Each structure stands twice: as C-alpha cells, then as structure tokens.
Amino acid sequence: MLLGLPLLLVLVQAVMPGLFDVNAPDMALSLGPLEKAFGSSRVGNAVVNSLELAATTALTATLLGGAFALLARRCNIPARRFISAVPWLVFLTPSYLKALAWVLLISPGGYLAQWGILSTQFIHTFFALPGLVFVQTLILFPLATFVIGAALAGLGSEYEDAARMAGVRPLRIWLHINGPLLMPAIALSLITIFAEVLSDFGMASTIARVSNFGVLTYGIYAAASDYPVDFPMAGVLALILLLLVVGVVMVDRLLRRRVDPRLISGRSKNGRIYDLGLWRWPAAIAALAISLLALFLPVAAIAARAFSRTLAAGLTFGNFTAANVLTALSFGTDTDGALLRSLAYAGIAAVITCGGALILAAELDRSRGILRPLVLGLSLGAVAIPGIVLGFGYILMWNRLPGFQNWPFPHYGDASLMVTGYIAAALPYCLVIIMGAIGQLSPSLGEAAKLHGVGATRRLLRITLPLVLLSVVTAFLFTFIRTMFELPISQMLVPVNGPPVPPMVTHLFSHDQDGLGSALSLLSMLAAGGGAGIIWLFAKRFVPRRGVASAVMPTPASSRISSS
C-alpha cells in the first residue's frame, strides 16, 4: 500500500498507456510510450545529462569528502572538532535551498557579480554542467565523508607500522596498503552519490531548470503536471530512472559481496594521527574554505536576501529591511500558512512514522521466519526509490485506481495523502535506526516480564521504549527535518488547502519574489533547527536517567540500585 503498489502502477503505466484513461480505460499492452520516449531527442538529452552529471559529481564529491574525512580523522589540524561537525551541518541543510542560494550569489545580478568578482563568461559557465557539478559536489560531499570516515575509523595502524618498519614511505603506504583497504568504502561512496544525483529533484527544479539543463527527475514532474497530463511519458521516464537507480544498487551489492575486508580484530590498533607540521595551517584553511562555500556562504546569501528590499541594490545600508520577514510571519498570509502547515505535517508524520517503526521493529526482532529478511529487504530497497517516482505512483494510485479514488483517508488532493507519502518515504530510515537499538537489547528483559504476566503492549511501553528512547528521538528528529524540507513529494501531492514550505519557496523564487522566499526559507530553517536542537538537548539530558529508571521494576531495592 505504501511502497509496492504505487511503484507497480508506475511500471505498468509505461506499457499500458490507456490503463488510466478517463474516457475509455484500456488494458492493452503497447510499446508506443517507450518508442516515443526513446525516439525523442529531449528524453535522450535528459538521460545523457543525468548520467553525465551523476558520474562527474560522484567522482568530485568522493574526492572532496575523502580528503575532508582524512583531515578530520587522521591529521592534527587546528579547529579539528569544528571541521568534523561541518559535514553534518551541510547534510542537514536542504539541497534545494543551497541551490537557490547559489542562484542569488552567481546570477548576473547576484551578490558576487555585483562585487565584480565574477566575469560574464564565468556566470554563463556556471549555469551549465560545471556549475551544477560544483554545487552538487558541495551538497553531497558529506556522504563521502561519512562513508570513508567510518572506514578510516576501522583502519588500524598495524599494517602501516609494519610497512614503516620496512622503510616504506608514507605516500607509498597510502597507495599500496591503505588505499586498497579503503577501496570498498570509496566504491560505496561513488555508487551512493551517483544514485543520489540521479534521484535529486531539488537541483533539477532550481539551477538545472534555470540553465535549461534537462534531467530525468524534472521531466517526470513536467509530464505529470502539464495539461493535459501525459501519464504514459511520465511512467516511461520514471521507469528509466528507477532502472538506473536499481542498477546502481545492484552494482553496490555485487561489489560488497566480492570485496568485504574485515579491518577490526582483537589485535587492531588505533589509527595513526599524522603531524603535518607547518602544513597543518594550509590544510585547516582549505577545510574552512570548503566549509564557507558549502554552508556559511549559502546560508548568508539566504539571510541577506531575506533582509533586503531588492537583489539589485546589493548589500547597502539603505537596502536592508525586515519587511520580508514580517510578511512571512504575518498571520493569515500564504507564507505563514505554509510554515504552520509544514510544521504540523512534519510533526504528525514524525510521530506516526516513529510509532509504526517502533512497533514493526519490536515485532521483527522477535520474528524468526521469512518475515524479518523480507521486510528489511523491502525497507532497504525503498531507500533507493526516488521521491519523485514515489509521488507519481501516489497520483496514479489515489487519483486513478478504482477503489482508492473515493477513500476518505487518505484522499487525493487532501493533506492526508501528502502526509502518507512523507511516512512512506521516511519509514525505512526510522526502521533501520530503531532496529539497530532494539537489536542490542537482551531477550531476557522481555522474557522475564512475560513470565510475570506482563502483556506485549506493556512490555513495549515499559521496557523496550525507555531503553531505546534516545534512538526513537533520533528517528523522530530525522523524520521531522526531512519532512519539513521534502520537496518532490510535496511538489507532486500539493493539497488543495495550500502548499507547505518547499513548493511555496520554489514558487516564490520562480515568480520574482525571491526576497519573500528567502525569508520563508530562513524562518523554516530556524524553526526546524531550533525545535530539533531543543528536543535533542532535552533528550540527551533526561532520557538516559529516566529511561533506565523507568525500565526497572518499581521496587524500592531496584530504585536504589538504579539511582546509585
């Protein structure tokens, strides 16, 4: 219902073009949509552009993320703790907001162009493949940092020490020992970023659209939102995109099956921290420069545009105003309604998703049959489903499929369907996070309570939940932030009562209201980040103490033991 049937309808639509015809539904098989798509130069260019952008970005982002991970984990650079936190901050910032920020910076009337830093030729080059690769690299290098950094954490120094004792130089050690050992992580980073770029809709709807650089994700949205709607073409494009993403995932599985080095053993030593000497300062400056480009400059551009009257007047004192922010906060306006709706939708989706993931994870932890690997396989496979494809499948299912059109909840055109899409997109991530925590609990806890006659629901609420509450909070915050800035599903399933923040922001930017759009973006980041930070600090302070205490039987002796 949430994942399988919508995707099946997308695939069927590509070979049954008349299946959802309003006037005369037809189940006849036809290769007409496929022939039309592969015979179209526009579709061919979209496929080539998507592959070229994904392959180039995978290489550049992996190089940058690997270097960042090496500096943060294995080198004695100044401000190392701050530099280590930058990839997390970049990762939590929505991609489409960073793309819109670079439009404000690099456009012909943008801030950097006004200062005379950029030439006209550079601006034209930026709004093409090089600029797209540059921005995507800054957006996605944290993924490579996480993947390669995790492998570096498990890469001990015993092999390196043995080579150094034999007189091997450090460069040769990295080329012939550490490099090959890290190759599975590097390959995983390349594949992950390649799939992320193929599935990305934020860049496709911002810089790529302005640059007239057609990609598959925006082609699906255009075919499904034009009038008249071209469902067969959208289905073919979604099928092509899904096949490309699934192919990348299969390559990942094959590589991990053939090469799976075990780096941590009982004899493992901690990794060597390299003393760069005087070179540690240039290395730290380079890392801070990447941080400036990837995080602080885009956020500063959004903030500057939010507090300025026009972009053309630049950063002059007379151009600053709070009118955009006050308008965005004014009660009863479209922007204020979008912000309130997004906060409400994100909170509801996070609560339902985490509750469902907790119940499902607890059931799967007790399961010993085929159910556990089946559900886990479906969940991990669902991570690779592009949001734009899932949104299109929901349109076909709830708007055209008989038996689902008249359902009161969820209903097409209503916020309930969009929230359902949010839940379906976030559930696999929450399930993985919570299952990791539940898998660490000893079965004896539940068995002892069961012997005392405690029911399954009470065991879940009084034993399991308190002990994994911090992981549940983590999944809640992840879902909340992800839903707050979820663009493709929001764009495809906009409810009748008004859009949430992501479609509203892109609409304002495309209709020359970038000041108001920047103000709404800034307020949404502050609201989501501030709320998530408060919840996380509260959880970190109170959850461990109260969680363990509430999980113990309420006897005086056990209470004294828990307190001690």
Side-chain angles (χ1 to χ4, degrees), residues 534-548:
I534 292 172
I535 294 174
W536 178 250
L537 291 176
F538 181 84
K540 287 286 287 184
R541 183 172 181 179
F542 293 103
V543 164
R545 180 175 59 196
R546 294 184 178 179
V548 173

Side-chain angles (χ1 to χ4, degrees), residues 277-301:
L278 293 177
W279 286 102
R280 69 182 186 275
W281 294 102
I285 292 173
L288 292 174
I290 297 300
S291 306
L292 176 68
L293 294 174
L295 179 64
F296 299 104
L297 194 58
V299 173

